[in-house]
């Protein structure tokens, strides 16, 4: 739950540092290594990363007892929705780190070696915090998901020199949060971050990137496969409240939908390109076909 929150805080804080200068030239990547920009990236990431970890410690760990470093096995919890969140966070933090170095004019090797591993480094620090908390514990499943998110970004850069498949996120409110608002959120903003029942994680693939010679397929058109889950009040099945639950069973959901690659929208403004890249983390509402894990299918005219 906390991963999406601190990904959001990290990115918003970082972009706030750079948004003070609204000239389009500022957002244009440097053609060669710009040491001033490089130093700005390094110092800003260090400041924002440290501040975010301090905030994380105060918000999630300060009120709970410490322990010796230990691991837990939480791979069966929340129908692995939390692991999907780790993949999403690691990918986009890595993408941000790589693009920040690209903006400074750093070479491709540096972008991949030092930039794309930003997410993995940051999320590993979070796992260390978990490992020393008596209420949590470091999770090898989380580590594997973090590595997978980073690998998804790096492998596409090495294979295609572009990102053809992008993890995305969407959310809708559910009745489950009212059963445990302290865990699943008492407000809309909290539920976006905490209610796994309403979260959907997508892999959105740009069709034109695989058929570059095609003059029929729009450059912005994507097809997306999604994963979600419902019926979850706790991590496992030990607590079910049928007053709040439409079903007494938790189940997985699989989706097929259309999407838009906002980065393929043509514009000469580097500022607009930056904004489109940020919002390209969100799945566009669209007609969607759903396969339920308990059996059965459903078509949504618009799903988010």
């Amino acid at each position: 739950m906390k991963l999406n929150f601190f990904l959001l805080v990290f990115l918003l804080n970082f972009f706030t540092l750079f948004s003070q200068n609204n000239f389009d030239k500022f957002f244009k990547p440097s053609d060669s290594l710009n040491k001033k920009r490089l130093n700005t990236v390094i110092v800003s990431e260090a400041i924002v990363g440290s501040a975010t970890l301090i905030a994380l410690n105060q918000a999630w760990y300060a009120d709970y007892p410490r322990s010796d470093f230990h691991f837990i096995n939480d791979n069966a919890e929340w129908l692995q929705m939390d692991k999907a969140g780790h993949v999403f966070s690691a990918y986009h933090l890595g993408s941000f780190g790589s693009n920040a170095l690209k903006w400074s004019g750093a070479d491709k090797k540096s972008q991949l070696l030092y930039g794309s591993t930003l997410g993995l480094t940051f999320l590993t620090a979070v796992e260390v915090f978990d490992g020393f908390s008596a209420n949590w514990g470091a999770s090898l499943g989380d580590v594997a998901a973090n590595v997978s998110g980073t690998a998804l970004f790096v492998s596409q850069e090495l294979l295609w020199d572009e990102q053809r498949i992008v993890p995305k996120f969407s959310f809708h409110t559910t009745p489950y949060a009212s059963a445990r608002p302290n865990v699943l959120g008492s407000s809309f903003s909290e539920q976006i971050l905490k209610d796994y029942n309403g979260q959907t994680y997508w892999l959105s693939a740009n069709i034109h990137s695989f058929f570059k010679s095609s003059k029929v397929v729009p450059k912005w058109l994507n097809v997306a496969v999604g994963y979600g889950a419902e019926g979850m009040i706790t991590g496992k099945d030990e607590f079910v409240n049928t007053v709040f639950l439409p079903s007494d069973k938790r189940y997985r959901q699989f989706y097929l939908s259309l999407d838009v690659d906002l980065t393929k929208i043509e514009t000469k403004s580097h500022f607009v390109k930056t904004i489109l890249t940020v919002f390209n983390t969100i799945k566009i509402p669209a007609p969607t076909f759903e396969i339920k894990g308990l059996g059965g299918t459903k078509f949504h005219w618009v799903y988010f």
Side-chain angles (χ1 to χ4, degrees):
M1 296 178 183
K2 57 182 175 294
L3 261 299
N4 286 345
F5 171 73
F6 284 100
L7 169 63
L8 179 63
V9 171
F10 185 98
L11 293 179
L12 286 179
N13 285 339
F14 196 92
F15 277 108
T16 298
L17 291 176
F18 287 119
S19 63
Q20 302 304 315
N21 187 335
N22 59 2
F23 296 104
D24 189 67
K25 181 180 179 181
F26 176 82
F27 292 91
K28 181 180 180 181
S30 178
D31 295 329
S32 58
L33 182 61
N34 185 316
K35 292 186 177 180
K36 183 178 180 180
R37 285 190 174 191
L38 179 61
N39 290 334
T40 299
V41 170
I42 294 173
V43 172
S44 298
E45 287 183 351
I47 292 175
V48 173
S50 299
T52 305
L53 288 174
I54 292 173
L56 170 65
N57 181 65
Q58 292 300 313
W60 291 89
Y61 303 104
D63 295 332
Y64 298 98
R66 306 290 184 178
S67 69
D68 293 333
F69 186 83
H70 64 288
F71 285 94
I72 60 170
N73 185 351
D74 63 349
N75 293 334
E77 296 185 4
W78 301 110
L79 292 179
Q80 295 79 50
M81 285 296 293
D82 57 325
K83 303 298 181 280
H86 277 264
V87 172
F88 174 87
S89 298
Y91 174 95
H92 285 292
L93 280 172
S95 174
F96 168 77
S98 179
N99 284 325
L101 286 182
K102 180 180 180 180
W103 172 79
S104 74
D107 59 50
K108 189 72 172 183
K109 181 178 180 180
S110 297
Q111 293 173 31
L112 294 180
L113 186 60
Y114 304 111
S116 63
T117 55
L118 174 66
L120 183 59
T121 301
F122 178 80
L123 296 176
T124 298
V126 175
E127 286 303 315
V128 173
F129 278 19
D130 281 347
F132 282 108
S133 174
N135 280 49
W136 290 280
S139 167
L140 290 178
D142 288 353
V143 173
N146 297 338
V147 171
S148 298
T150 302
L152 178 60
F153 179 84
V154 173
S155 61
Q156 292 187 81
E157 289 296 317
L158 293 175
L159 183 61
W160 298 314
D161 196 32
E162 64 178 348
Q163 296 298 301
R164 299 184 179 183
I165 303 172
V166 177
K168 294 194 177 186
F169 174 82
S170 65
F171 176 81
H172 60 272
T173 57
T174 73
Y176 304 102
S178 59
R180 293 187 73 197
N182 59 316
V183 174
L184 301 180
S186 58
S187 65
F188 180 76
S189 58
E190 288 185 351
Q191 290 168 20
I192 291 178
L193 303 171
K194 295 182 176 183
D195 186 6
Y196 288 128
N197 300 281
Q199 297 177 3
T200 306
Y201 289 96
W202 304 83
L203 288 178
S204 183
N206 182 254
I207 302 175
H208 189 270
S209 295
F210 292 96
F211 304 97
K212 292 184 179 295
S213 61
S214 173
K215 296 182 179 180
V216 178
V217 180
K219 292 183 179 180
W220 48 263
L221 182 62
N222 279 24
V223 61
V225 292
Y227 175 68
E230 280 198 26
M232 301 178 294
I233 299 297
T234 62
K236 296 182 180 179
D237 290 314
E238 69 272 19
F239 174 83
V240 173
N241 189 331
T242 55
V243 174
F244 294 98
L245 297 180
S247 169
D248 62 353
K249 294 182 179 179
R250 56 184 62 202
Y251 62 95
R252 306 175 193 277
Q253 299 157 304
F254 304 93
Y255 300 95
L256 178 65
S257 182
L258 297 176
D259 190 29
V260 174
D261 187 341
L262 297 178
T263 65
K264 294 298 190 293
I265 297 176
E266 295 185 4
T267 174
K268 294 182 179 180
S269 170
H270 293 283
F271 172 74
V272 173
K273 288 180 180 179
T274 302
I275 297 300
L276 291 175
T277 298
V278 172
F279 281 96
N280 202 49
T281 60
I282 301 173
K283 166 71 168 62
I284 300 298
T288 300
F289 181 72
E290 174 187 353
I291 301 176
K292 298 180 183 291
L294 293 177
T297 61
K298 183 177 180 180
F299 180 78
H300 305 265
W301 286 106
V302 177
Y303 179 84
F304 191 67

